[in-house]
Amino acid sequence: MKYVRLGATGLKVSRICLGMMSYGNPPDPGHPYWEAWHLDQDAAEPVVRRAVEAGVTFFDTADMYAQGASERTTGALLAKFFPRREDYVLSTKVYYPMGPGPNDRGLSRRHILESIDASLERLGTDYVDLYQIHRWDDETPIEETMEALHDVVRAGKARYIGASSMYAWQFAKAQHTARSAGWTRFVSMQNHYNLLYREEEREMIPLCLDQGVGVLPYSPLARGLLTGSRERGGQGSTVRSGNDPLADTRYTDADFDIVDVLRTLAAGHGRPAAQIALAWLLSKPGVSAPVLGATKPHHIDDAIAALDITLDGEQMTSLETPYRPHPVIGHE
């Protein structure tokens, strides 16, 4: 495993972050946040064990994943595999609804302060290393949000704060607001970024590079399109690929022109396509650690193997040339 600083901070994170969204089942299988591909704690354990054995020390979850069940599973497994809380880096998020009331969502001071305490209880820890806003909240003044996040840090409940999918102007506004008031600023941006969706290269990633903000791409394998689990026309070969409407809205058959090049290049290397796709992402400026979703131990093996792959300029160009611009998605 390789380790890097998260952006311009002194915090070291593993080059691969294990996304915990797939782990933990809410009590009610009919819950809107439940998916057929979610793994319960017993099924998730060998995957997380493989990651820990490979040197992964960075783990990402959110309160809304399986309506809190992901945080519970994450806390239980990390406590089992690490002798000390200081041995791993833990991140979670706030924004999405966690109850039926109008104040059970968003980025108000009330919801942030309630949510961090609830997350810490589920995770079984007294602090998270990185507390992220999951989306932008149009209904809450950014001053209220940034001051509340600053108070979370000052209270020792989070070491750093980060953000996720939003427009570059929104991120710049939030950073300026915090800087002007002397509050804690965001150190990371978890955004939608992969070989098939590169719109973040236009404004957000240059902004992050300029400001020393670490980039933590989610969906690094494009919800399976870059692994071979999906084909043109929407056919899927896995449980998730057969039940994932988001993939149908975010990607099109035209994106398979890139997939075709990827498969050819991977075959030339004698490696799975996932390894080449991750190697491409790991080579991009500003990327600290892709957030990898894994439901089988070999998914971890592919990610670790990608760390040692170097693509030359010609290979990078061949992968990037077929790219077609996409509508900006994922911010809502």
Side-chain angles (χ1 to χ4, degrees):
M1 177 54 64
K2 299 177 181 178
Y3 302 89
V4 295
R5 293 165 58 203
L6 179 57
T9 75
L11 180 67
K12 298 290 182 64
V13 297
S14 55
R15 198 73 164 90
I16 299 296
C17 174
L18 182 59
M20 309 297 279
M21 182 177 72
S22 301
Y23 313 142
N25 286 334
D28 176 16
H31 194 281
Y33 291 160
W34 181 85
E35 301 288 353
W37 38 267
H38 279 167
L39 304 182
D40 63 21
Q41 184 171 321
D42 288 342
E45 183 170 332
V47 183
V48 179
R49 182 186 299 276
R50 181 70 65 86
V52 173
E53 291 173 345
V56 172
T57 58
F58 190 12
F59 303 88
D60 176 77
T61 185
D63 56 2
M64 60 83 69
Y65 295 160
Q67 197 68 5
S70 173
E71 287 184 325
R72 294 189 189 93
T73 298
T74 297
L77 290 176
L78 296 185
K80 183 173 185 176
F81 293 136
F82 290 96
R84 302 186 311 153
R85 171 63 184 86
E86 294 79 12
D87 292 335
Y88 60 89
V89 176
L90 177 61
S91 66
T92 193
K93 309 181 192 74
V94 58
Y95 169 78
Y96 282 105
M98 290 298 291
N103 289 309
D104 294 333
R105 65 197 68 197
L107 298 177
S108 68
R109 179 178 184 83
R110 170 174 165 167
H111 186 57
I112 287 173
L113 296 184
E114 289 176 350
S115 294
I116 185 61
D117 287 341
S119 287
L120 293 178
E121 189 278 327
R122 287 188 292 264
L123 289 163
T125 184
D126 56 5
Y127 73 95
V128 292
D129 297 279
L130 182 64
Y131 197 46
Q132 303 163 97
I133 60 170
H134 215 152
R135 291 295 186 272
W136 180 269
D137 183 359
D138 286 320
E139 297 184 352
T140 302
I142 191 59
E143 292 82 1
E144 178 178 342
T145 296
M146 298 309 296
E147 185 177 19
L149 292 170
H150 176 69
D151 288 344
V152 168
V153 174
R154 294 282 292 177
K157 297 177 181 181
R159 300 296 191 246
Y160 302 88
I161 59 172
S164 186
S165 289
M166 62 182 64
Y167 294 101
W169 70 264
Q170 293 170 326
F171 193 50
K173 180 178 180 180
Q175 296 288 69
H176 174 73
T177 298
R179 182 183 295 108
S180 297
W183 296 331
T184 306
R185 285 178 283 167
F186 294 124
V187 303
S188 63
M189 167 53 63
Q190 187 171 147
N191 51 357
H192 180 205
Y193 184 37
N194 57 52
L195 192 53
L196 302 185
Y197 183 84
R198 295 167 49 203
E199 299 309 304
E200 296 291 284
E201 293 177 358
R202 300 184 188 280
E203 294 186 352
M204 181 58 80
I205 290 177
L207 174 61
C208 290
L209 286 169
D210 179 71
Q211 298 295 307
V213 172
V215 177
L216 306 172
Y218 72 79
S219 199
L221 295 173
R223 306 182 80 87
L225 270 74
L226 295 172
T227 69
S229 68
R230 303 176 192 272
E231 301 293 340
R232 282 182 170 84
Q235 298 91 342
S237 59
T238 64
V239 174
R240 182 169 183 177
S241 63
N243 182 31
D244 190 12
L246 263 182
D248 298 331
T249 60
R250 291 186 173 182
Y251 308 107
T252 69
D253 276 0
D255 293 319
F256 280 93
D257 291 347
I258 299 174
V259 176
D260 290 341
V261 175
L262 173 66
R263 289 173 173 171
T264 299
L265 185 57
H269 277 260
R271 294 178 177 270
Q275 293 184 15
I276 303 301
L278 286 172
W280 175 86
L281 187 58
L282 287 160
S283 74
K284 301 306 288 183
V287 172
S288 294
V291 181
L292 177 76
T295 54
K296 296 180 175 62
H298 75 81
H299 296 160
I300 303 296
D301 297 338
D302 283 339
I304 302 305
L307 295 170
D308 294 323
I309 298 174
T310 300
L311 301 174
D312 63 30
E314 182 178 346
Q315 292 167 335
M316 294 287 286
T317 299
S318 69
L319 288 168
E320 295 176 355
T321 299
Y323 183 76
R324 302 182 187 184
H326 286 64
V328 174
I329 53 178
H331 296 348
E332 305 304 325

